[in-house]
Amino acid sequence: MRVLDFDHCLEHLEPGQQDEYFRGLSLGAEVDLRGTTLSGELVGRLVDAVGSIDGRRAEFGRADFAETRFPGLAVFEDVTFFDADFTDAVFASAVRFDKAGFRDSASFLRSRFAGSVTFEGASFEQTTFEDTRFGGRVSFENAKFETDLSFSRGFPDLVSFEGAEFAGEAGFGSLRFDGRAVFRGAKFHGGARFAEARFLDCADFHGADFTTAESFGPVTAEQLIFGRATFRRRMLVDAEAPVMDCSETRFEEGATLRLGARSAVALQRTFFGKASTVMGTASVTSVEGTDVADVVFTDIDLANCRFTGAHHLDKLRLEGACTFGSYRNRQVLAEERAWRADRTAPVGPRRIADLYRQLRKAQEDSKNEPGAADFYYGEMEMRRHSPATPWSERFILHLYWLVSGYGLRALRALATLAVLIAVVSTSIWLGGFKTTPAFGDTLIYVAQSTVSLDTKLATLPKELTPFGEVLRLVMRVLGPLLLGLTLLAVRNRVKR
């Protein structure tokens, strides 16, 4: 594009003619450099010429750089544009728009940035980035967007919107982020569209503030960070990320976290202001310090979840196929597995027993009697191993565990009963009667004594020795007790 009053474009003017052109510019000048090739030196002279009056920063009126090519470093720092057009512009090297102000409209439609580009601290009133292509790192740190903003192409390298403020709707839907995407401390006052976005690296929203947004996703990411972020409306988060950090995140009106199969979410000290649901065939790794009174877990893997320090665990609702870790064919908490691997673990048996007690009630309220039975077993196990438990109580618990598995192991109770019948039968046969009967008759007699029945055998002696009376009394007490423990164990396993 030829420069006004000259026969050539700015790049091909004689040095004297270039000087004359720049001398004619002043604050608020309108420039039309469409299709021109502007070196880094020419950009610098242009900015200096427009901002030369009284040392004020450069302010362009209408600035038309459509189809302009910038082969070298282009620096537009602290420049204000009133109606800027960079449509189809090509930036072959790095470009800096730090602290630039784009008033009225600004268009980067179909622009191409081959190198890094920074808009740090820039402000945009009405800007178009449709079909803009970025080839290097991009930074919009602390930028302000006063109206809706959307991108239609992805980012091949790191992109940062740290501290950025979006007054309107922010559109990042269906984009691919090949590098790290940083939105730390960003403020989304309007909607935040990330539907179908793919983050191949980390998506960092640490400390971000979502004022009116009500949904996020569905998105996929290798790492998704919402630590200390705030969601002020009820939120639907639909995401799949092997590492998802929601520690100290605030869901002020509650949330539904719909997680993909590969997801693992940390919920330490997370605030759920109202009833919330965490669902999907994913895993939760921690709820330490979180009040879970109004939280529902649906089909969640809790095998590696740390519950220590959580509040109102007894009110946590577990629905669907929520699973825990396994130890000797029973469900166990991650804290117990860690303690069994290292007896000096920071969370010991006494605290683990408290966790089991609270979660047992949660399982009972969910009508999951088998799950509640496993947690009762875990609670008894931790009490039996806890140094804080009095020795007399620990002795009783050892016996309770040995003979029936705390009333939860039917085969163990039956085996104990069988051994007891065999021992007592042998003892009575040898010295329980004043005359020695057949061993088979003695066995029947002892078995009947177990259920408090009188024998009808005519061949059995009628008189017992004092030793035999003691053994009969033992069977009439312990026999029904062991039978009762057997039936109780069966009931706890089949009841729903």
Side-chain angles (χ1 to χ4, degrees), residues 8-25:
H8 301 286
C9 67
L10 182 61
E11 179 189 25
H12 295 100
L13 291 180
E14 297 292 332
Q17 293 176 320
Q18 289 182 348
D19 294 341
E20 182 180 350
Y21 172 75
F22 287 128
R23 282 195 300 269
L25 300 178

Side-chain angles (χ1 to χ4, degrees), residues 455-482:
T455 183
K456 303 295 185 181
L457 294 173
T459 58
L460 197 67
K462 302 301 181 185
E463 295 184 8
L464 292 170
T465 64
F467 176 65
E469 289 287 355
V470 171
L471 292 176
R472 186 174 68 88
L473 181 61
V474 169
M475 286 306 304
R476 291 205 169 188
V477 173
L478 295 183
L481 176 61
L482 290 171

Side-chain angles (χ1 to χ4, degrees), residues 325-332 336-337 340 381 409:
S326 178
Y327 177 78
R328 293 184 178 178
N329 297 320
R330 66 179 174 90
Q331 295 185 104
V332 296
E336 180 181 343
R337 292 186 5 243
R340 289 189 180 278
E381 276 285 272
R409 300 293 184 261

Side-chain angles (χ1 to χ4, degrees), residues 224-243:
L224 188 56
I225 299 175
F226 286 119
R228 295 192 176 182
T230 300
F231 297 91
R232 303 189 184 276
R233 295 278 186 91
R234 182 164 186 86
M235 196 70 179
L236 168 63
V237 178
D238 191 342
E240 181 170 3
V243 178

Side-chain angles (χ1 to χ4, degrees), residues 9 44 88 90 93 98 104 109 136 145 161 176 184 187 204 213 227 304 361 378 382 387 389 408 413 483:
C9 67
D88 291 313
V90 176
S93 186
D98 300 341
D104 297 332
L109 180 67
F145 302 92
F161 288 88
R176 171 171 163 157
R184 296 175 68 90
K187 293 179 172 58
D204 188 350
N304 297 308
K361 184 178 184 303
M382 294 299 99
T389 304
L408 296 172
L483 281 175

